[in-house]
């Protein structure tokens, strides 16, 4: 039922006043039987206004207090409770039975067919005291300390005071069957369990602050396009003290100097530094030459010392063209030194 249909007496901190009763044009037989049962003085109940007047006067009496449920609550914080080997002794000394009482503020048998109850000031005060002196103390003792813990405890107490004063229990209008002679009554058909669950749901837990998120700063990866990463793919070259470039590379290209540098760098890159230490092949596979067809000048070599992270000087095509090396040079040492044209007639 929307809250706008409730009377002003159902608002928080509002004093008790006469309940509002709305009946249908035809009164249900169960309501007529209930009113006749509780009336000590026989009153005529032959019309809707008579039923409305009788019900309103009965629910407005100071003794018309309903018991919604009963809660078994501890008398003190857990650290102050009596410890005993007998559970019955502990229950008698450590727990109390708190009856939750309320009065009727609204009866609607036309639109929603329900009845609304509001807690009495005594029940509100008892629940507020228990929440502050026992519930919050036990909850705070079970949690670790942080800087805003006391502030959060005070906030929970303020929120509970507001919630318990706004609490209105609404149930089916058939609950009026539990009405007694003086206007009091109690809930039937298991409705007390619903009230107990609703009230205990107002006791909010004390939540610790969420963990702080630590931002891990990772170094940015070096990309080829980023500054300082232009030579990330080049191997580290260990060399001696830097030498002036005009001393390493001559001003005019020379065939012999370029060839020597080519032989040295190709030998170091291919891992053939110790190729001169290999034994020479036997005479059965190769014939000695009086003059080799290819010398060390036919290989590419780099300067012996260079600046760190320097790009090797590659020969120009014009330099390579000056070096004459025939096909017989590549076939020497394998028995093919007579020339491949001699085998064409075989």
């Amino acid at each position: 039922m929307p809250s706008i249909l409730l009377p002003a007496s159902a608002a928080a901190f509002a004093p008790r006043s006469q309940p509002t009763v709305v009946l249908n044009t035809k009164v249900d037989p169960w309501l007529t039987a209930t009113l006749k049962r509780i009336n000590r003085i026989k009153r005529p109940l032959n019309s809707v206004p008579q039923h409305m007047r009788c019900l309103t006067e009965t629910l407005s009496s100071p003794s018309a207090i309903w018991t919604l449920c009963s809660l078994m609550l501890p008398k003190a914080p857990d650290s102050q409770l009596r410890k005993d080997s007998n559970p019955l002794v502990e229950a008698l000394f450590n727990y109390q039975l708190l009856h939750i009482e309320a009065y009727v503020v609204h009866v609607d048998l036309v639109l929603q067919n329900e009845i609304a109850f509001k807690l009495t000031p005594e029940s509100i005060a008892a629940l507020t005291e228990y929440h502050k002196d026992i519930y919050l103390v036990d909850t705070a003792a079970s949690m670790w300390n942080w800087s805003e813990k006391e502030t959060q405890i005070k906030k929970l107490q303020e929120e509970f005071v507001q919630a318990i004063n706004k609490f209105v229990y609404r149930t089916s209008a058939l609950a009026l069957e539990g009405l007694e002679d003086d206007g009091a009554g109690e809930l039937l058909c298991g409705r007390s369990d619903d009230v107990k669950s609703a009230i205990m749901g107002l006791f909010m837990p004390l939540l610790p602050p969420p963990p702080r998120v630590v931002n891990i700063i990772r170094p940015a990866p070096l990309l080829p396009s980023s500054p300082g990463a232009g030579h990330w793919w080049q191997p580290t070259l260990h060399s001696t003290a830097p030498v002036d470039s005009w001393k390493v590379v001559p001003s005019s290209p020379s065939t012999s100097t370029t060839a020597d540098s080519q032989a040295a760098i190709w030998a170091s890159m291919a891992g053939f530094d110790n190729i001169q230490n290999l034994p020479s092949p036997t005479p059965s596979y190769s014939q000695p030459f009086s003059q080799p067809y290819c010398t060390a000048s036919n290989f590419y070599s780099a300067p012996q010392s260079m600046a760190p992270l320097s790009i090797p000087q590659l020969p120009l095509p014009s330099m390579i063209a000056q070096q004459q090396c025939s096909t017989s040079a590549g076939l020497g040492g394998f028995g093919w030194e007579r020339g491949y044209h001699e085998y064409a007639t075989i």
Side-chain angles (χ1 to χ4, degrees):
M1 185 173 68
S3 58
I4 58 175
L5 297 180
L6 291 176
S9 59
F13 306 100
R16 181 181 180 181
S17 61
Q18 186 178 2
T20 59
V21 179
V22 181
L23 301 180
N24 206 343
T25 55
K26 184 179 179 180
V27 181
D28 296 332
W30 64 268
L31 180 59
T32 303
T34 301
L35 293 178
K36 288 182 178 181
R37 176 176 57 83
I38 65 173
N39 281 333
R40 297 178 182 179
I41 301 175
K42 301 301 180 180
R43 303 175 61 174
L45 298 173
N46 300 324
S47 62
V48 175
Q50 291 177 353
H51 284 79
M52 185 179 300
R53 187 181 304 109
C54 179
L55 184 59
T56 303
E57 293 177 358
T58 303
L59 297 178
S60 300
S61 61
S63 60
I65 302 299
W66 288 60
T67 301
L68 300 184
C69 65
S70 298
L71 300 178
M72 184 70 71
L73 302 176
K75 297 180 180 180
D78 185 69
S79 59
Q80 303 177 10
L81 295 180
R82 178 176 178 178
K83 307 298 180 181
D84 195 282
S85 58
N86 190 349
L88 182 59
V89 175
E90 287 188 353
L92 291 176
F93 285 93
N94 297 333
Y95 292 90
Q96 59 181 342
L97 192 63
L98 179 60
H99 300 285
I100 306 301
E101 298 177 341
Y103 53 87
V104 179
V105 294
H106 184 69
V107 178
D108 180 14
L109 298 178
V110 177
L111 184 60
Q112 298 294 335
N113 194 29
E114 67 179 9
I115 182 174
F117 296 91
K118 189 178 184 341
L119 299 183
T120 60
E122 293 78 12
S123 297
I124 293 176
L127 290 172
T128 303
E129 182 180 0
Y130 166 76
H131 183 269
K132 178 181 179 181
D133 298 337
I134 300 177
Y135 176 78
L136 289 181
V137 172
D138 290 340
T139 304
S142 62
M143 300 294 296
W144 50 276
N145 296 325
W146 63 90
S147 59
E148 300 179 356
K149 184 177 181 180
E150 295 298 330
T151 304
Q152 190 171 356
I153 291 176
K154 294 180 180 179
K155 183 179 179 181
L156 287 178
Q157 178 63 19
E158 295 175 358
E159 292 178 352
F160 180 80
V161 171
Q162 294 291 332
I164 200 63
N165 281 273
K166 293 179 181 178
F167 178 78
V168 175
Y169 176 68
R170 298 149 72 176
T171 184
S172 174
L174 294 176
L176 289 173
E177 293 180 348
L179 190 64
E180 299 178 358
D181 297 344
D182 53 355
E186 60 183 25
L187 297 178
L188 305 177
C189 302
R191 296 184 179 91
S192 297
D193 295 335
D194 298 338
V195 179
K196 185 184 302 182
S197 300
I199 293 178
M200 297 307 297
L202 301 178
F203 291 81
M204 305 303 295
L206 180 63
L207 300 178
R212 297 180 179 178
V213 179
V214 180
N215 295 328
I216 301 177
I217 302 177
R218 295 183 175 89
L222 294 178
L223 299 177
S225 60
S226 62
H231 304 285
W232 63 274
W233 51 271
Q234 295 182 358
T236 304
L237 299 178
H238 300 280
S239 60
T240 57
V243 183
D244 295 337
S245 59
W246 63 273
K247 295 182 179 180
V248 177
V249 181
S251 58
S252 61
S254 174
T255 304
S256 59
T257 305
T258 306
D260 296 340
S261 61
Q262 293 176 3
I265 192 170
W266 282 110
S268 61
M269 292 177 63
F272 298 133
D273 295 337
N274 300 326
I275 192 172
Q276 298 177 359
N277 299 329
L278 295 177
S280 60
T282 58
S284 60
Y285 292 95
S286 62
Q287 298 295 331
F289 296 97
S290 59
Q291 182 177 0
Y293 290 96
C294 293
T295 61
S297 62
N298 296 86
F299 296 94
Y300 178 82
S301 61
Q304 296 299 326
S305 61
M306 61 182 66
L309 300 179
S310 61
I311 300 177
Q313 301 294 331
L314 298 178
L316 298 176
S318 59
M319 301 178 185
I320 301 177
Q322 298 177 7
Q323 305 171 14
Q324 302 296 329
C325 184
S326 63
T327 56
S328 60
L331 301 176
F334 294 93
W336 299 86
E337 63 275 4
R338 292 178 297 176
Y340 64 92
H341 57 277
E342 299 180 4
Y343 297 93
T345 59
I346 299 175

